[in-house]
Amino acid sequence: MASLAGMGVSESDLKWAPHFRKALNSLHHRYNSENRLLRCPFSSPGYHTTIKKAEFIHPFRESMDYALALLDDGSQAYEARAWDIVQAVIERQDQHPGSATYGIWSWFWEEPLEQMSPPDWNWADFIGKRLLLVLARHNNRIPAQLKNRLEEAITHSCEAIIRRNVGPEYTNIAIMGTFVTLVAGELLNNSRFTEYGIKRLERVHRYTMQTGTFLEYNSPTYGVVCLIELSGLVHHMENAEAEKLARELLELTWAMAAEHFHPATGQWSGPHARSYHDFMHKNTLSFLHMALGGEVPLIGEADFNYNVEWYRNDIRCPGHLLPLFGAADTRELQAKLPETGEFGTRTAYTYMTPSWTLGSFNHGIMWNQCRNLLAFLGHSSESGTYIRLRVLHEGYDYCSAIYRGDQRRGQVLFGVGFALDGGDTHPNLDPCHGRITATDLRVRLEIGTKGQAPRIQAEDGRTVRAVFPDTGLAIRLQLGASLWNGRPAQLEIVEEGGVLGIDAVLYSGEAAALDFHAMEEAALLFHLSLGDPEALAASSDAVWERSEGAITGSLGTGPDALHIRMPVKPDLRVALFHA
């Protein structure tokens, strides 16, 4: 293997070099020479940052991506700019060991660490990794006056990562922190960092291989992050044993992505433990297209969007998995996720046909990033449809809603209950402890389509059918049982912002205090069917019953029978998960 400082460019990266330079050239006009950072349109997931509205900001992560790309390109015309950016980023790291935010950065130049709510400790990993790659790839080019500061900043990042010591269940950060400490240990000749990185990698490997999957299961967002980090670790690693473990984890991650890719719709089949988009983002589709070497075309040239972060990581999908990205077949996947104290052992189930895919967990929280029940149907990514379950408080996903489900092929029985110890918009950052003020609270089966709108009609107040002309498919949603503060809910059809909702409205009106501690009944059960319209019309209805302290549903008999049980009284999350 070539030395870390003089790492060459792989054949796979050379193939995409023209796209790399095109992407890099598109960034030059964003550079702000006054603060020596990249100016980008503002975006945020809605937490950590207190900035809510801004047209542009200067993010440290994207600025470091730009600086590293300038150096990777090798052009002397922009080399001084790259070092200016590196210097500016280093200046904004908290380098005080006694500080609670030691070793990390804020997200944006406009917002100091003390203004974030709360700061994001992952930035020790995200920014530390990028500084490390500057040292790994361009050691002989670093100005003498900057080199010591760069190595010190990397050291501070490693110390912060070791101090935090995230567990192997936090998959993407566990892997990224492993990369930073392992490679930094080799480059800085720091045996403590190396030993920590190897032990951490062994822990992640052991934890993951016990169940054969990640806790952040099947995430398009973090799956790509893991593929980038593991590819970089394999590409930059000198320790043979660490490289072997990283290769095995990389193979597992690629297998998860390949098995869940649905060629007809061009989507990443659900369920997703974490996701930021309903349809697969073009950046994710571009990443897969690049990693497949273009041998299985997934996106057109006009839409292909190369990210400079991918360059020089030798990112390649194993050849034996390539056919899965183009196979129009039927697949039935089931996985048991690693056990946690809160969730216990969760099960993920996915069913794929040549024209549609439907996936679900057996339980989870209804966080905005969780896709507990998710379907895609259609004949292309340009005209496809997604179907997603949500629970909305003031139009935003309510984290303290709890999902339970049981799926077999195109049939799902599922329930929604309410926890007393969760958050409102985030699982941990805004705890509401089962008490909220609301003008609107509803359970929604959301339908978004890029093609012809479905024909949707209510059979009655508890059953709605939707037919999708583009595909010849249909869904049928039945509200089988509902108990809400002494009254039943009804299904309504709504349209908001270009998407359709089949909604069970729990509350709508003047602002009112909802105290789930005081509620004796707050639970709903549903039956969702997806498939051929005639087959759905002839299918059996589920049987619903009220038992002591719970409502239950069942469908069919024998090994394919479905069963669901949801406690009617709100309770702690762990009690609802394990009911």
Side-chain angles (χ1 to χ4, degrees):
M1 180 179 289
S3 68
L4 291 171
M7 190 72 68
V9 180
S10 69
E11 290 185 11
S12 60
D13 283 320
L14 282 173
K15 178 176 181 176
W16 300 104
H19 294 275
F20 163 76
R21 291 194 175 90
K22 179 181 178 182
L24 175 59
N25 290 337
S26 72
L27 298 176
H28 293 324
H29 74 282
R30 292 187 185 179
Y31 179 67
N32 183 347
S33 59
E34 293 184 5
N35 62 8
R36 299 165 293 162
L37 295 170
L38 204 65
R39 183 171 176 264
C40 300
F42 173 71
S43 65
S44 158
Y47 47 86
H48 283 305
T49 180
T50 57
I51 298 175
K52 301 304 178 186
K53 291 184 179 180
E55 188 175 0
F56 293 97
I57 40 79
H58 295 83
F60 294 114
R61 180 176 63 177
E62 286 78 359
S63 295
M64 275 305 308
D65 282 337
Y66 177 53
L68 181 61
L70 291 174
L71 296 171
D72 286 342
D73 186 49
S75 172
Q76 293 185 352
Y78 289 101
E79 184 171 340
R81 177 182 293 187
W83 300 128
D84 283 345
I85 295 171
V86 172
Q87 178 73 37
V89 170
I90 291 174
E91 289 172 359
R92 293 297 289 266
Q93 183 187 34
D94 181 347
Q95 298 189 347
H96 303 286
S99 170
T101 55
Y102 170 58
I104 72 173
W105 288 259
S106 63
W107 283 0
F108 311 125
W109 177 82
E110 288 78 2
E111 182 178 40
L113 273 167
E114 57 269 19
Q115 292 181 13
M116 294 187 71
S117 181
D120 188 350
W121 281 266
N122 292 344
W123 252 233
D125 307 76
F126 275 98
I127 307 299
K129 170 204 164 183
R130 287 156 171 80
L131 292 174
L132 182 64
L133 289 175
V134 169
L135 184 64
R137 297 175 184 170
H138 307 289
N139 187 24
N140 59 343
R141 300 169 60 190
I142 303 171
Q145 68 274 18
L146 181 59
K147 187 170 183 180
N148 284 342
R149 296 207 64 188
L150 177 62
E151 292 181 348
E152 288 172 359
I154 293 168
T155 298
H156 293 309
S157 293
C158 290
E159 294 290 359
I161 289 167
I162 294 172
R163 181 181 294 186
R164 187 184 182 199
N165 194 31
V166 302
E169 67 279 357
Y170 197 169
T171 310
N172 64 304
I173 296 302
I175 293 172
M176 194 180 300
T178 296
F179 179 97
V180 175
T181 52
L182 254 179
V183 179
E186 291 186 350
L187 287 173
L188 302 178
N189 196 27
N190 187 312
S191 59
R192 188 167 70 89
F193 291 170
T194 302
E195 290 170 7
Y196 174 83
I198 290 174
K199 289 180 180 178
R200 180 157 162 163
L201 180 59
E202 290 172 345
R203 192 164 71 246
V204 172
H205 182 273
R206 182 169 57 251
Y207 178 86
T208 304
M209 292 302 175
Q210 284 176 352
T211 56
T213 191
F214 298 126
L215 186 64
E216 289 180 343
Y217 175 77
N218 195 39
S219 167
T221 302
Y222 295 107
V224 168
V225 171
C226 289
L227 289 170
I228 293 172
E229 300 309 316
L230 289 167
S231 296
L233 189 56
V234 168
H235 189 55
H236 291 81
M237 197 69 257
E238 289 189 331
N239 183 289
E241 181 58 27
E243 182 181 342
K244 175 179 178 293
L245 297 179
R247 284 190 184 279
E248 291 177 1
L249 288 169
L250 183 60
E251 170 74 21
L252 182 148
T253 312
W254 270 120
M256 181 174 64
E259 289 170 352
H260 286 87
F261 187 80
H262 189 241
T265 58
Q267 301 297 327
W268 191 313
S269 299
H272 303 155
R274 293 183 68 183
S275 183
Y276 290 92
H277 307 282
D278 295 313
F279 289 113
M280 181 138 64
H281 198 277
K282 285 185 178 179
N283 287 348
T284 306
L285 206 57
S286 296
F287 172 85
L288 294 174
H289 179 87
M290 176 272 301
L292 271 58
E295 294 185 29
V296 182
L298 301 182
I299 191 168
E301 181 69 24
D303 293 322
F304 179 69
N305 184 20
Y306 190 90
N307 190 318
V308 295
E309 182 190 0
W310 304 339
Y311 196 57
R312 296 191 67 172
N313 280 304
D314 195 24
I315 301 169
R316 292 175 290 171
C317 176
H320 67 277
L321 295 174
L322 291 180
L324 287 173
F325 286 92
D329 55 5
T330 297
R331 304 177 203 169
E332 189 171 12
L333 309 171
Q334 189 162 320
K336 183 174 288 187
L337 278 61
E339 185 173 359
T340 66
E342 179 183 14
F343 287 105
T345 299
R346 290 203 293 168
T347 301
Y349 178 89
T350 304
Y351 189 71
M352 303 168 63
T353 77
S355 58
W356 58 267
T357 173
L358 174 63
S360 64
F361 288 115
N362 67 330
H363 64 252
I365 59 173
M366 294 303 296
W367 184 21
N368 178 264
Q369 292 187 28
C370 297
R371 302 296 189 267
N372 292 305
L373 177 61
L374 181 66
F376 294 107
L377 46 150
H379 300 297
S380 71
S381 59
E382 287 76 28
S383 62
T385 295
Y386 76 83
I387 301 169
R388 169 191 172 194
L389 181 69
R390 306 178 73 180
V391 178
L392 302 175
H393 169 215
E394 311 299 88
Y396 195 86
D397 303 84
Y398 182 52
C399 265
S400 288
I402 301 299
Y403 171 89
R404 291 178 62 85
D406 192 15
Q407 179 186 347
R408 189 71 67 236
R409 292 181 281 280
Q411 305 284 336
V412 190
L413 295 185
F414 65 93
V416 173
F418 295 88
L420 303 176
D421 59 339
D424 184 356
T425 64
H426 189 277
N428 306 310
L429 299 182
D430 64 344
C432 60
H433 304 296
R435 296 180 177 92
I436 58 175
T437 299
T439 62
D440 193 88
L441 183 67
R442 61 186 63 215
V443 180
R444 169 172 293 176
L445 189 70
E446 183 173 281
I447 303 170
T449 184
K450 298 178 181 179
Q452 189 174 349
R455 298 191 301 270
I456 186 167
Q457 64 177 25
E459 296 181 5
D460 51 49
R462 302 178 72 82
T463 307
V464 172
R465 179 188 299 269
V467 178
F468 301 88
D470 288 348
T471 64
L473 297 168
I475 63 166
R476 183 172 182 262
L477 180 69
Q478 181 185 30
L479 174 56
S482 67
L483 298 168
W484 177 259
N485 251 354
R487 64 175 179 82
Q490 297 286 311
L491 293 181
E492 299 179 4
I493 302 170
V494 300
E495 183 175 0
E496 292 181 356
V499 299
L500 290 169
I502 305 174
D503 292 1
V505 181
L506 303 180
Y507 181 80
S508 184
E510 296 294 324
L514 299 181
D515 186 352
F516 289 95
H517 296 260
M519 293 184 187
E520 294 297 322
E521 298 177 335
L524 304 92
L525 293 183
F526 299 84
H527 176 200
L528 174 67
S529 305
L530 168 59
D532 176 79
E534 294 183 5
L536 295 190
S539 63
S540 302
D541 286 337
V543 177
W544 314 100
E545 295 181 355
R546 172 74 185 264
S547 59
E548 184 176 353
I551 46 178
T552 64
S554 60
L555 178 67
T557 59
D560 286 344
L562 299 178
H563 301 279
I564 185 66
R565 179 180 185 274
M566 178 62 73
V568 299
K569 185 174 174 57
D571 206 336
L572 301 179
R573 284 181 291 188
V574 66
L576 295 175
F577 289 148
H578 300 163

